[in-house]
């Protein structure tokens, strides 16, 4: 399994909460497990367990030997450090623009947690890549996907994005939801075909919402996430992580590539200051 040329990040739990509009208490009361896809070298699986929340991380990274995973994580940290040194206001979360060392230390801690936890609990780290996930339908109470589908348009075409979103919804319980961030690429360009994408998801009986997430600290910036929910799908019994059943990946649902092609009336909107990108 080859690993795509994406930045491997080591984000801590608090950064996940900030990105996705979550709290530690809300994670601790979820009725079932959480999927983090892609999981990267984050500390979420280990940190959430202390809250009573079980997380499964999926990423092609986990097919690699531990030293290779470490090397990629260190390269990701170096890229963030360089970007922060060039433009801290753009690449660091609110409150950290003048304290990049503190922010990077949080990544270092998250990576140490990831390294130890993935060695101790390898069953929580599944080598898999969108749009094919080896999980049964309706397995997760909440699914999170950060810095992938819209961040790398050179890797994910419009059809690829649609197939991946459909797959994320498939493995999420009907009463649960999928949260995706960011909605722009590394240059800060908002996805130009997002309205068409949402319309097609609606045709698949998936509701979508773009939610404005307020900053968690006074110096932070609000941002937007995409939320997806299955409509009128039969409820399924949520499984605990120990009972997660792998399944043969389902064939991707057929999509109409022409429907997602940029139309003459579609205007690509650049991101606002509120949506300034973070690698």
């Amino acid at each position: 399994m080859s690993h795509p040329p994406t930045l491997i990040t080591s984000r801590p739990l608090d950064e996940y909460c900030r990105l996705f509009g979550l709290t530690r208490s809300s994670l601790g009361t979820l009725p079932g497990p959480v999927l983090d896809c892609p999981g990267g070298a984050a500390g979420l699986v280990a940190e959430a367990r202390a809250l009573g929340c079980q997380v499964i991380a999926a990423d092609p990274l986990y097919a690699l030997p531990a030293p290779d995973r470490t090397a990629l994580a260190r390269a990701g940290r170096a890229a963030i450090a360089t970007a922060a040194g060039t433009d801290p206001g753009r690449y660091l979360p609110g409150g950290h623009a003048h304290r990049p060392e503190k922010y990077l230390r949080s990544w270092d801690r998250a990576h140490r947690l990831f390294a130890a936890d993935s060695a101790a609990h390898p069953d929580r780290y599944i080598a898999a890549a969108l749009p094919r996930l080896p999980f049964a339908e309706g397995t997760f109470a909440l699914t999170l996907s950060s810095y992938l589908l819209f961040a790398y348009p050179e890797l994910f075409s419009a059809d690829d994005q649609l197939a991946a979103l459909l797959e994320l919804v498939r493995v999420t319980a009907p009463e649960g939801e999928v949260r995706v961030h960011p909605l722009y690429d590394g240059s800060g360009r908002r996805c130009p075909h997002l309205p068409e994408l949402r319309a097609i998801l609606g045709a698949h009986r998936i509701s979508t919402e773009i939610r404005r997430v307020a900053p968690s600290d006074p110096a932070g910036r609000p941002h937007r996430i995409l939320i997806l929910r299955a409509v009128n799908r039969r409820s399924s019994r949520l499984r605990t992580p120990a009972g997660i059943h792998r399944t043969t990946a389902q064939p991707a649902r057929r999509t109409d590539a022409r429907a997602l092609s940029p139309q003459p009336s579609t205007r690509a909107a650049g991101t606002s200051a509120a949506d300034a990108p973070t690698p």
Side-chain angles (χ1 to χ4, degrees), residues 108-134:
D108 293 338
R109 178 180 179 275
H111 180 254
R112 289 194 297 270
L113 287 171
F114 162 77
D117 197 64
S118 59
H121 303 281
D123 57 312
R124 298 297 190 262
Y125 299 85
I126 307 302
L130 288 166
R132 299 285 192 277
L133 298 177

Side-chain angles (χ1 to χ4, degrees), residues 12-264:
L13 171 62
D14 287 341
E15 189 164 359
Y16 272 85
C17 289
R18 181 186 64 81
L19 291 176
F20 290 106
L22 301 169
T23 64
R24 289 172 173 258
S25 59
S26 66
L27 285 171
T29 58
L30 283 172
V34 174
L35 174 63
D36 182 19
C37 180
L44 180 63
V45 178
E47 290 188 89
R49 187 182 298 113
L51 304 176
C53 176
Q54 300 302 309
V55 179
I56 297 294
D59 197 304
L61 173 73
Y62 308 144
L64 299 178
D68 293 346
R69 297 198 299 263
T70 296
L72 287 169
R74 286 176 176 169
R77 190 227 193 251
I80 289 293
T82 299
T86 303
D87 191 351
R90 178 181 181 186
Y91 291 108
L92 294 181
H96 290 279
H98 302 293
R99 295 180 295 173
E101 298 84 5
K102 181 178 179 180
Y103 178 64
L104 291 171
R105 284 198 300 271
S106 75
W107 272 41
D108 293 338
R109 178 180 179 275
H111 180 254
R112 289 194 297 270
L113 287 171
F114 162 77
D117 197 64
S118 59
H121 303 281
D123 57 312
R124 298 297 190 262
Y125 299 85
I126 307 302
L130 288 166
R132 299 285 192 277
L133 298 177
F135 306 113
E137 182 175 318
T139 296
F140 300 97
L142 175 66
T143 295
L144 307 175
S145 184
S146 60
Y147 292 102
L148 183 67
L149 297 180
F150 299 113
Y152 294 94
E154 67 277 14
L155 298 180
F156 289 87
S157 68
D159 269 1
D160 293 332
Q161 291 166 345
L162 178 59
L165 292 171
L166 289 170
E167 180 71 348
L168 291 172
V169 172
R170 181 188 71 80
V171 301
T172 304
E175 58 272 27
E177 62 185 29
V178 177
R179 298 190 180 194
V180 181
H181 174 79
L183 308 183
Y184 45 78
D185 63 18
S187 300
R189 181 173 180 265
R190 293 284 296 274
C191 176
H193 53 266
L194 187 56
E196 290 83 1
L197 185 60
R198 295 178 68 190
I200 295 178
L201 287 166
H204 283 269
R205 306 189 67 78
I206 296 171
S207 71
T208 63
E209 171 194 352
I210 295 181
R211 180 178 299 176
R212 187 173 184 267
V213 176
S216 57
D217 58 83
R221 298 183 297 265
H223 59 276
R224 292 169 177 83
I225 61 175
L226 177 66
I227 297 179
L228 303 95
R229 303 181 186 89
V231 178
N232 295 333
R233 198 174 81 187
R234 182 182 300 176
S235 294
S236 62
R237 183 179 178 184
L238 285 167
R239 302 171 178 85
T240 61
I244 284 178
H245 299 298
R246 307 257 191 113
T247 183
T248 302
Q250 301 298 314
R253 278 163 264 197
R254 292 179 62 86
T255 61
D256 186 351
R258 293 172 297 176
L260 284 174
S261 298
Q263 302 298 312

